Amino acid sequence: MTQFSIVTINWNNLEGLKQTYQSVAAQTYRNFRWIVVDGASTDGGAEWLATIDEPYAEITSERDKGLYDAMNKGLIKGSATEGYTLFLNSGDFFYDENVLQKVADAIEKAPGKPRYVYGDYYLQNAEGRLTPQKAKKIEHLVLGMPSSHQAMYFENERLRNVRFREDFKLSADYCMIVEFLQGQDHQRDVLKIESPLCIFDTTGVSTSRRFDALKEDMRIRREVMKLSPLHSISLYVLHYLHTHSKLLKAALGK
């Protein structure tokens, strides 16, 4: 029976944390651990977490050095057991109560043990409108994230060998995925599920951080994927223009 480690990072996001807890608690598949890494929240989050009395909850609240330091703490704890780790941070939530069951069924029906499992997702804007997003083919990893990280499951034996690189302030998750999949057989080790697995709330995602992330993505392609400078810069320009186009359309209401 497949076991899951659900890692939730939180800092001063009590309402989002409660939403994540409700989503986790509602799952019909029960073979999971909920690992919460709270950065010593001062908004009542640490006190609220102290009231959680669930056998599946493993909660710590202490100061950290930032998001990816906390993510690495969760990664280490999550990958310590057999199974798969999912990073579902405060404010993130499953698409519905059957997601873990669906993922477990897909893993157990796979011809071999997949190392990386991912699927589709929905984007949710400030008005609550949902927009479906299809996961990309893993062969297109060079172009960017294949899906939302809340829709990705990492096999723990492999996960123990990687970390979130803290020198990337915005794109460490992309870098981790690239390094996780290096040397893996995409046909044998990757399982793509044709179904929505999570809802990602885009509220508060700043424009400036999007463009800063594109620069980090270019650096990852150059330093980690070993693409040529010309190839890396060309992809950066294409993504830059694409992002500008999306923002312009949004401003015009199209």
Side-chain angles (χ1 to χ4, degrees):
M1 190 175 184
T2 302
Q3 179 173 322
F4 296 104
S5 298
I6 305 168
V7 173
T8 297
I9 306 304
N10 177 69
W11 185 69
N12 286 347
N13 185 22
L14 177 56
E15 292 309 310
L17 179 63
K18 289 180 178 179
Q19 185 179 45
T20 302
Y21 167 69
Q22 291 168 0
S23 180
V24 170
Q27 290 299 297
T28 57
Y29 187 88
R30 306 304 296 174
N31 191 20
F32 64 81
R33 308 154 64 207
W34 186 42
I35 300 168
V36 183
V37 181
D38 176 67
S41 291
T42 58
D43 66 344
E47 291 77 8
W48 180 80
L49 284 168
T51 69
I52 300 296
D53 184 21
E54 301 283 4
Y56 56 77
E58 302 175 22
I59 299 169
T60 58
S61 183
E62 62 186 18
R63 291 187 179 277
D64 53 56
K65 300 175 184 177
L67 172 61
Y68 291 116
D69 175 46
M71 294 281 276
N72 278 326
K73 289 181 179 180
L75 182 155
I76 292 168
K77 291 181 179 180
S79 63
T81 57
E82 297 301 312
Y84 294 79
T85 293
L86 163 70
F87 295 93
L88 194 76
N89 292 340
S90 60
D92 297 339
F93 50 101
F94 291 106
Y95 175 69
D96 62 27
E97 69 275 11
N98 298 313
V99 167
L100 285 184
Q101 183 67 64
K102 188 176 297 182
V103 175
D105 289 345
I107 290 171
E108 288 161 16
K109 291 176 183 176
K113 184 179 181 181
R115 295 282 195 172
Y116 175 76
V117 182
Y118 71 117
D120 303 333
Y121 61 104
Y122 276 85
L123 295 178
Q124 179 175 271
N125 66 10
E127 290 73 42
R129 183 168 61 87
L130 297 178
T131 305
Q133 302 290 315
K134 296 293 290 183
K136 301 177 179 65
K137 293 181 179 179
I138 203 64
E139 290 77 14
H140 297 166
L141 182 63
V142 68
L143 299 177
M145 296 273 283
S147 183
S148 170
H149 75 77
Q150 300 92 337
M152 301 178 185
Y153 296 74
F154 301 88
E155 193 274 322
N156 285 340
E157 183 179 3
R158 172 65 180 164
L159 186 61
R160 294 174 199 138
N161 298 314
V162 298
R163 293 290 185 272
F164 292 97
R165 285 178 43 176
E166 295 175 46
D167 53 323
F168 292 109
K169 303 304 181 184
L170 300 171
S171 296
D173 48 355
Y174 179 41
C175 184
M176 189 275 273
I177 295 164
V178 170
E179 293 186 315
F180 182 92
L181 289 172
Q182 283 181 333
Q184 304 302 298
D185 185 320
H186 289 177
Q187 296 298 317
R188 181 193 64 207
D189 299 326
V190 175
L191 175 61
K192 184 171 179 284
I193 299 176
E194 305 288 344
S195 181
L197 302 180
C198 74
I199 298 175
F200 175 54
D201 186 359
T202 60
T203 304
V205 177
S206 72
T207 300
S208 62
R209 288 172 66 86
R210 291 181 189 177
F211 288 108
D212 289 341
L214 292 180
K215 294 177 183 177
E216 289 194 357
D217 290 351
M218 178 175 63
R219 184 179 152 205
I220 290 166
R221 294 185 184 103
R222 182 74 186 101
E223 297 179 6
V224 182
M225 301 179 114
K226 305 301 182 183
L227 299 187
S228 69
L230 178 60
H231 196 176
S232 301
I233 293 171
S234 297
L235 288 173
Y236 168 76
V237 171
L238 287 173
H239 280 83
Y240 184 92
L241 294 174
H242 177 66
T243 301
H244 254 302
S245 175
K246 287 172 60 177
L247 292 172
L248 180 59
K249 289 180 180 179
L252 296 174
K254 295 183 178 180

